[in-house]
Amino acid sequence: MNQLIRKRFFIMIMSWCLSLSVQANPSNYPVMDEGVTDTISLLSPGEYNLINDKIMDLEHETGAQIAVLIVPTTGRESIEQFASQIFAQWQLGRKGIDDGVLLIVALNDRTMRIEVGYGLEGQITDLFTSQVIQNYLIPYFRAEQYAKGIELAVDALIAKVKQEELPPIDQMSLIVTKQTESIGLLDIVAGLVIGGSLLLWLSIIVKTLKRFPLRAGLFWGGIIALTAYFGGFDLTTWNGLTFGEDFLRNDLPRWVQLLFLQIFPAWFSVVMIFTCFVVSVFYILGFFAGVLMILDRWIKSEKLKKALFPGIIFGSIVYLFSYFSTGSLGAAVSITTVITLFIIIGIYKGFIKPTTGSGSSRSGGSSRSGGGGSSRSSSSRSGGGGRSGGGGASGRW
């Protein structure tokens, strides 16, 4: 019996060791191929040679190693885990210095990451790698100009290693990213807001022209002349405006992006964004005022009115705050519903005492990859390093 137990224990230990060896098998990861390892032939031979030559020239000049890896997917691993494993296996950077940088692109996952070796974290900070992704990689990847994006990102990393001037941020960051889609709710809301903003400015122009025809005519005519002189109406040039928020770049309909990024002059785009915000606030206030008027007419109970009005007003504030905090419409609606119902029931039952005009409640209210790698290098290019400091940044396009 004891012999059978020992035999089973031995088999279990061997199976466990075998599973570990399979998981740690370097063959599960691509083998490094000089400066660029393109496993899916994303780059043409000319594009490959151009980027690869820049990387190898940097290595011969400074000893620092930059590696680009292009894969279809990272599988079950996150882009951060995959980058850390590759960095250790390839032993990027010189031994004891660890001056290596790894740029990974997972095309089908639409993810990317820049992993930075321990020895370069002082120069290539997390903030810098995030800026490289946002300013160089993502805009070109969205335009499906992958080679140009990778080339500019490599140029920026090389310049930072050599402490040289960075390549200029291209106008491609202002590209219209959305494709034409069927009309949806967002199109209707955007049409109402932008239409209201244009009507507001039209009424201002008409009123000033009626009241001060000569001075207003000279003023508005001068603005139009200056705009035309500086190329503001030239649809082949960018207007200098960057939105900065993912919602504005990714979620707004294509026709809205065309208006703000290509059709409107730069100064008018800025003015319109502010005007749209003002108009949106008035729309929201008008909507809730209408709801309150309807409730006031339909509901006869004064006690219920006193509970509903502050609850709705406070709930709308909670909705706006939670939506902009979480970025999720579902989460915002759920949070708002729970809090609004709590306030309404609390005021109606009497355990929440509203102040004058409003309701108030008395209730109180990067992971870093280890990066230590001792795996045998798969390429003669290995510098013997491989210690990732965990620094870097990831992104999606």
Side-chain angles (χ1 to χ4, degrees), residues 180-311:
T180 302
E181 298 176 347
S182 58
I183 296 177
L185 178 60
L186 194 56
D187 295 85
I188 298 173
V189 173
L192 290 173
V193 173
I194 294 175
S197 302
L198 290 173
L199 286 175
L200 176 62
W201 278 107
L202 182 61
S203 64
I204 291 174
I205 293 173
V206 170
K207 286 181 179 180
T208 54
L209 286 173
K210 283 184 177 180
R211 188 170 182 181
F212 311 103
L214 180 60
R215 283 178 288 178
L218 290 174
F219 176 77
W220 295 116
I223 288 179
I224 293 173
L226 287 173
T227 302
Y229 177 79
F230 287 106
F233 296 120
D234 184 0
L235 301 186
T236 63
T237 61
W238 62 292
N239 69 6
L241 177 70
T242 177
F243 284 131
E245 296 292 337
D246 285 340
F247 168 76
L248 297 173
R249 286 199 305 264
N250 302 335
D251 297 333
L252 282 180
R254 179 179 175 82
W255 65 270
V256 178
Q257 293 188 355
L258 284 170
L259 278 178
F260 284 103
L261 292 177
Q262 294 185 7
I263 297 176
F264 288 159
W267 66 269
F268 192 62
S269 294
V270 175
V271 169
M272 277 295 293
I273 289 177
F274 174 76
T275 309
C276 286
F277 173 77
V278 173
V279 170
S280 299
V281 171
F282 277 109
Y283 278 161
I284 293 172
L285 292 177
F287 171 76
F288 283 110
V291 171
L292 293 177
M293 288 177 61
I294 293 173
L295 292 176
D296 184 56
R297 175 169 295 184
W298 285 358
I299 298 175
K300 304 302 180 183
S301 171
E302 292 297 327
K303 184 179 179 181
L304 184 56
K305 287 181 183 179
K306 290 180 180 179
L308 284 174
F309 290 175

Side-chain angles (χ1 to χ4, degrees), residues 30-51:
V31 176
M32 181 165 54
D33 181 16
E34 289 195 329
V36 179
T37 304
D38 185 0
T39 66
I40 57 176
S41 299
L42 179 67
L43 307 176
S44 68
E47 294 165 343
Y48 176 94
N49 291 332
L50 176 64
I51 299 172

Side-chain angles (χ1 to χ4, degrees), residues 150-202:
I150 294 172
E151 180 189 353
L152 284 176
V154 168
D155 287 344
L157 292 171
I158 290 175
K160 195 66 173 177
V161 171
K162 298 167 68 173
Q163 295 294 348
E164 295 179 350
E165 185 177 351
L166 298 174
I169 298 175
D170 196 83
Q171 299 168 3
M172 185 64 72
S173 60
L174 304 174
I175 191 172
V176 175
T177 59
K178 289 285 287 188
Q179 301 300 317
T180 302
E181 298 176 347
S182 58
I183 296 177
L185 178 60
L186 194 56
D187 295 85
I188 298 173
V189 173
L192 290 173
V193 173
I194 294 175
S197 302
L198 290 173
L199 286 175
L200 176 62
W201 278 107
L202 182 61

Side-chain angles (χ1 to χ4, degrees), residues 291-336:
V291 171
L292 293 177
M293 288 177 61
I294 293 173
L295 292 176
D296 184 56
R297 175 169 295 184
W298 285 358
I299 298 175
K300 304 302 180 183
S301 171
E302 292 297 327
K303 184 179 179 181
L304 184 56
K305 287 181 183 179
K306 290 180 180 179
L308 284 174
F309 290 175
I312 292 174
I313 293 172
F314 188 78
S316 64
I317 297 173
V318 170
Y319 169 76
L320 293 174
F321 178 79
S322 58
Y323 177 75
F324 286 111
S325 298
T326 63
S328 170
L329 180 63
V333 171
S334 300
I335 294 171
T336 303

